[in-house]
Amino acid sequence: MSGTFKRILYGGDYNPNQWEKSVWKKDMEYFKDARINSATVNVFSWAKIQPSEETYDFSELDEVIDMLSRENYDIVLATSTAALPAWMVKRYPETARTDYEGRHHKFGQRHNACPNSPVYQKYASALAKKLAERYGSNPHIACWHINNEYGGECYCENCEKAFRVWLRKKYQTLEALNKAWNLEFWGHTIYDWDEIVLPNALSEGITSEQTAFAGISIDYKRFNSDSILENFKMERDAIRCFDKETLVTTNLMGTYKGLDYFKWAKEMDIVSWDNYPGYDTPWSYTAMCHDLMRGLKGKPFMLMEQTPSQQNWQPYNSLKRPGQMRAQSYQTLAHGADTIQFFQLRRSVGGCEKFHGAVIAHAGTSDTRVFREVRQLGQELETLSDILGTKNQAEVGIIFDWDNYWALEYTSGPSRELTYVKQIHEYYRYFYDRNLGVDMIPWDGDFSRYKVIAAPVLYMVKEGMKEALEDFVKKGGVLILTFMSGIVGESDNVHLGGYPGPLRDLAGVWVEEIDALAPGQKNETVFSDGTRAECGMLCDLMHLEGAESLADYGKDFYAGSPAVTRNTFGQGAVYYVGTQMEEEGLFKVLDQAVKEGQPAKALQESTGLEITCRQGEKGSFCFLMNFKEEVQSVPECFVGKTDLLTGRTVEPGEEMKKFDVKIVKM
Ligand code: GLA
Ligand code: ZN
């Protein structure tokens, strides 16, 4: 189960079950022409392969698997458990979910099973087991795809009972639980485990984003993530009864909030994810998601889904412009993917996704722009298998942490503008624009390979975090911290004694107060060289406790007090950014931090291209991509090298238009 695949998997979700057999035959011809070598099947077929509680019918799936095996596909075989069959919900209403408002659902939709329903668990694992028994020894099965885009929440009675069990295990005593949730506040003290109810709109929840008690709500998030993870493990283990070898995955969703993907990845053989940028998503954001997905295991991942052309579920489902799908695919490979898979291979005739892009559109022909682009990419990927398994090597790490994601966004105050991923992306973008490779890392990972670590809005400092960060800096690392850090512990109770709590020594500052500025209100930061830059949203009012000020506030009653600081700690340094700075100011601070930390860069020259490299035994593969409107010239250091995509030598002064890509082996 080490390594990934023998070739770059190229294909995607394929639903022949929705089509007549005559169409299957044509599909095989089209796909071959496009160099498609992989198909993800059986994603939503539960009702077909188990038409009733007592009967299973694999006859059609047998035919699909036979056909794909004959054609030498790498099959990604899904377990179909992401949408309940109608008969199950009718006979066992408990298999459906109860939503945040407390409404128990009827049959409908997908991703609709209560994770703690014993009936769902029984039939989902039985199905996975049957599939593994039947197909597990087929050498064409390249990967198991459990369920689909796990997510959502359930607030039913089964979940409530399971939550109490989960809490008992975590806290042991009610005293510990009352203390952790600070239930003395509003006199919510619990005297019996059965008094605990799930935090939704009927109880401690206000909206799904707000809560009266973050302690219980964060614990519910952890519990829900764990409950659904148990569903995954259950199917995985069922598969393992018959198939000990084949990789097992489930498709994740980038920065999806609901599941602690670092915890999940430990249970997965390989990470896979679905990349659906909107028409206006910055390329740096997509790159960050890839780096996060790679960071979950620190290994190459699968791109399980992307659309070849457009989506249906965004507000504005723009077409991908000519060359855009190809460039997006190379960005994905550049950041560590070993597969490029689409949703989907043939566009559905009905249902809410009928306008979702596909390799074969409703016209039913390969004579389309989209198909030609898919074919071109397929032809190119066939030549690039040396890239498989190569690694991205970064010396900048950015800490991403789901507990912090949940906790920060539950805080009532100081500003509703504060969101987790946006803050992380601000920092990511700085490194991205300079072609400084980034690993998105967990707080408890191995920091030793990084020269610079950014831990934006590290609001919740859990046990062990302080020590890990101090150790990194002591040994010479450069750490970047920001406002809203070190404030609470693992249950959202404040670390008393002054912000940033356990990070106070490390940062060398004491934050006495936090001002919130309304939209449109601004302060400014004034650097020691006289440069000024606007800032807003939050302004920490702080005292220096060993740190030096890099910039002071320019306005208001705290004008002249420090806004951004640097502290020497052991062999290293800590930058503390106490306010939301405009780009120019923030980048000036980060320039200094990078100058001090000296992380490796893909190249010394500055360029508007994205340049991301993967290293392996056969060399270093540098992906040069132009995501800018303007033409960019190829940096000098690549001149004279061969572009693997064209076989041509890169000439001096060569230019790249928007969406042009080169892969240069160094
Ligand atoms: C998700 C799902 C697919 C499909 C696509 C459409 O990624 O996994 O089944 O619905 O979205 O974009
Ligand atoms: Zn439930």
Side-chain angles (χ1 to χ4, degrees):
M1 267 178 282
S2 61
T4 56
F5 306 103
K6 294 192 189 71
R7 54 184 175 182
I8 296 177
L9 265 49
Y10 189 53
D13 277 45
Y14 180 45
N15 299 300
N17 49 305
Q18 294 173 14
W19 299 92
E20 299 293 327
K21 301 262 165 67
S22 57
V23 177
W24 300 15
K25 201 166 162 274
K26 261 202 205 148
D27 285 340
M28 290 298 100
E29 288 162 19
Y30 289 148
F31 300 162
K32 186 173 236 161
D33 185 20
R35 307 298 199 271
I36 282 171
N37 60 29
S38 173
T40 305
V41 295
N42 198 44
V43 183
F44 291 105
S45 303
W46 199 345
K48 182 160 257 171
I49 56 185
Q50 190 179 3
S52 75
E53 187 166 4
E54 300 77 23
T55 48
Y56 289 88
D57 176 3
F58 294 104
S59 55
E60 189 191 64
L61 186 57
D62 284 349
E63 285 185 64
V64 171
I65 301 277
D66 283 351
M67 173 177 76
L68 296 172
S69 303
R70 262 196 321 275
E71 302 277 340
N72 193 29
Y73 273 59
D74 280 317
I75 301 168
V76 177
L77 184 52
T79 59
S80 262
T81 53
L84 296 168
W87 60 257
M88 196 184 294
V89 185
K90 182 176 168 223
R91 190 175 293 179
Y92 304 105
E94 58 137 301
T95 56
R97 288 181 180 178
T98 300
D99 66 20
Y100 187 79
E101 276 70 37
R103 301 172 301 191
H104 190 70
H105 283 214
K106 296 189 179 183
F107 174 67
Q109 296 282 348
R110 61 174 177 175
H111 307 137
N112 49 1
C114 164
N116 289 298
S117 153
V119 178
Y120 170 69
Q121 292 169 0
K122 173 175 156 197
Y123 285 110
S125 63
L127 186 57
K129 206 167 187 171
K130 282 197 182 290
L131 288 164
E133 183 176 16
R134 198 169 188 94
Y135 305 111
S137 58
N138 180 333
H140 297 279
I141 311 291
C143 185
W144 287 97
H145 172 305
I146 292 184
N147 204 280
N148 186 72
E149 292 192 336
Y150 274 116
E153 296 177 338
C154 181
Y155 294 90
C156 77
E157 275 181 29
N158 276 330
C159 286
E160 197 153 78
K161 285 183 196 138
F163 187 44
R164 292 174 189 146
V165 173
W166 186 93
L167 291 169
R168 272 186 116 119
K169 199 165 156 213
K170 173 165 180 175
Y171 292 108
Q172 315 277 327
T173 68
L174 282 171
E175 290 72 51
L177 175 133
N178 280 313
K179 188 156 179 255
W181 294 350
N182 196 37
L183 294 181
E184 196 59 35
F185 176 69
W186 288 355
H188 283 204
T189 309
I190 298 284
Y191 291 102
D192 188 327
W193 293 96
D194 289 351
E195 291 167 12
I196 300 166
V197 295
L198 294 173
N200 68 356
L202 306 178
S203 51
E204 300 293 10
I206 301 165
T207 66
S208 57
E209 304 296 319
Q210 295 169 293
T211 174
F213 285 82
I216 182 170
S217 294
I218 294 165
D219 270 344
Y220 172 76
K221 291 267 190 239
R222 292 171 176 145
F223 156 76
N224 183 60
S225 176
D226 284 359
S227 297
I228 302 179
L229 179 56
E230 285 305 316
N231 290 174
F232 171 83
K233 284 160 63 182
M234 173 192 79
E235 287 197 40
R236 179 202 61 195
D237 295 347
I239 288 169
R240 287 282 175 254
C241 295
F242 292 97
D243 178 355
K244 304 263 182 262
E245 286 300 315
T246 313
L247 297 172
V248 175
T249 191
T250 180
N251 47 345
L252 309 182
M253 299 177 282
T255 59
Y256 174 70
K257 189 173 174 182
L259 305 176
D260 180 348
Y261 283 156
F262 276 113
K263 198 166 180 188
W264 272 65
K266 295 196 174 96
E267 304 294 339
M268 299 164 64
D269 296 327
I270 184 167
V271 166
S272 65
W273 88 283
D274 301 343
N275 179 28
Y276 289 105
Y279 75 94
D280 56 352
T281 304
W283 289 91
S284 55
Y285 184 86
T286 303
M288 178 181 81
C289 292
H290 289 313
D291 288 351
L292 178 61
M293 296 295 97
R294 186 187 71 246
L296 296 180
K297 285 190 92 69
K299 282 189 182 155
F301 60 90
M302 300 170 77
L303 178 77
M304 190 62 87
E305 296 179 22
Q306 67 173 356
T307 173
S309 54
Q310 66 195 142
Q311 282 137 268
N312 65 283
W313 49 266
Q314 305 249 12
Y316 309 103
N317 297 283
S318 311
L319 295 176
K320 284 186 179 158
R321 305 347 257 182
Q324 185 174 350
M325 182 279 287
R326 176 174 177 268
Q328 181 181 313
S329 302
Y330 282 120
Q331 187 192 37
T332 307
L333 280 188
H335 285 268
D338 276 0
T339 76
I340 297 291
Q341 296 159 271
F342 297 110
F343 184 89
Q344 57 180 335
L345 298 188
R346 182 179 272 274
R347 203 172 217 184
S348 350
V349 69
C352 61
E353 288 178 350
K354 67 179 180 302
F355 283 140
H356 195 288
V359 172
I360 302 294
H362 288 147
T365 162
S366 59
D367 189 15
T368 61
R369 174 182 75 92
V370 169
F371 187 89
R372 283 188 287 276
E373 293 193 28
V374 169
R375 176 171 49 205
Q376 185 198 336
L377 180 61
Q379 288 167 342
E380 292 173 357
L381 293 180
E382 274 191 342
T383 68
L384 295 174
S385 46
D386 282 354
I387 288 166
L388 280 172
T390 54
K391 300 230 156 63
N392 295 70
Q393 286 174 349
E395 291 185 347
V396 176
I398 297 183
I399 294 179
F400 196 97
D401 180 56
W402 265 268
D403 276 332
N404 267 286
Y405 195 170
W406 296 329
L408 184 81
E409 297 191 356
Y410 271 136
T411 61
S412 179
S415 168
R416 68 192 309 173
E417 300 287 303
L418 189 60
T419 54
Y420 187 66
V421 177
K422 204 170 154 206
Q423 290 297 325
I424 301 282
H425 178 241
E426 287 262 322
Y427 286 79
Y428 183 90
R429 193 164 55 98
Y430 167 85
F431 298 107
Y432 174 85
D433 285 345
R434 284 154 192 77
N435 288 307
L436 281 154
V438 173
D439 282 347
M440 302 295 291
I441 54 174
W443 73 268
D444 55 353
D446 174 12
F447 291 167
S448 64
R449 57 167 304 161
Y450 303 108
K451 300 223 165 113
V452 173
I453 289 181
V457 287
L458 197 66
Y459 167 70
M460 178 182 280
V461 170
K462 298 176 273 192
E463 233 170 88
M465 264 185 177
K466 163 192 154 86
E467 292 73 16
L469 293 172
E470 286 188 351
D471 187 57
F472 167 72
V473 182
K474 252 185 215 152
K475 292 181 179 147
V478 171
L479 175 68
I480 300 155
L481 297 173
T482 72
F483 54 87
M484 282 305 270
S485 290
I487 306 219
V488 299
E490 96 118 44
S491 297
D492 203 59
N493 293 318
V494 169
H495 288 295
L496 299 177
Y499 315 138
L503 306 179
R504 187 166 162 180
D505 258 8
L506 189 56
V509 295
W510 167 38
V511 176
E512 184 183 336
E513 291 183 277
I514 305 167
D515 195 14
L517 277 55
Q521 294 182 342
K522 293 283 170 204
N523 202 314
E524 61 176 4
T525 46
V526 186
F527 287 83
S528 33
D529 64 4
T531 327
R532 287 164 183 267
E534 277 199 329
C535 66
M537 186 169 67
L538 291 180
C539 296
D540 278 351
L541 275 58
M542 54 183 159
H543 304 273
L544 301 176
E545 292 182 335
E548 54 177 315
S549 173
L550 301 180
D552 293 340
Y553 291 109
K555 295 184 183 156
D556 217 322
F557 76 92
Y558 43 92
S561 76
V564 185
T565 62
R566 181 194 167 283
N567 189 37
T568 305
F569 190 89
Q571 314 274 305
V574 181
Y575 288 75
Y576 185 92
V577 182
T579 179
Q580 172 85 0
M581 302 176 87
E582 290 299 314
E583 187 171 301
E584 217 185 322
L586 178 62
F587 288 5
K588 191 175 157 71
V589 176
L590 296 177
D591 281 345
Q592 188 182 334
V594 162
K595 204 166 160 204
E596 184 164 4
Q598 295 287 323
K601 278 184 97 164
L603 74 167
Q604 290 313 314
E605 295 156 72
S606 73
T607 169
L609 297 170
E610 179 188 331
I611 297 177
T612 299
C613 306
R614 290 179 70 168
Q615 276 95 22
E617 280 159 19
K618 294 184 179 155
S620 171
F621 298 88
C622 290
F623 292 69
L624 285 58
M625 298 160 284
N626 186 6
F627 294 119
K628 299 255 158 70
E629 292 302 329
E630 308 78 33
V631 165
Q632 306 287 330
S633 41
V634 176
E636 289 262 334
C637 61
F638 299 107
V639 171
K641 311 265 190 241
T642 311
D643 171 13
L644 298 182
L645 293 172
T646 57
R648 284 203 302 268
T649 306
V650 180
E651 304 288 340
E654 211 174 299
E655 295 193 318
M656 293 175 66
K657 296 194 295 296
K658 188 175 188 190
F659 298 142
D660 277 355
V661 178
K662 288 183 191 300
I663 306 178
V664 176
K665 198 166 149 191
M666 304 294 277

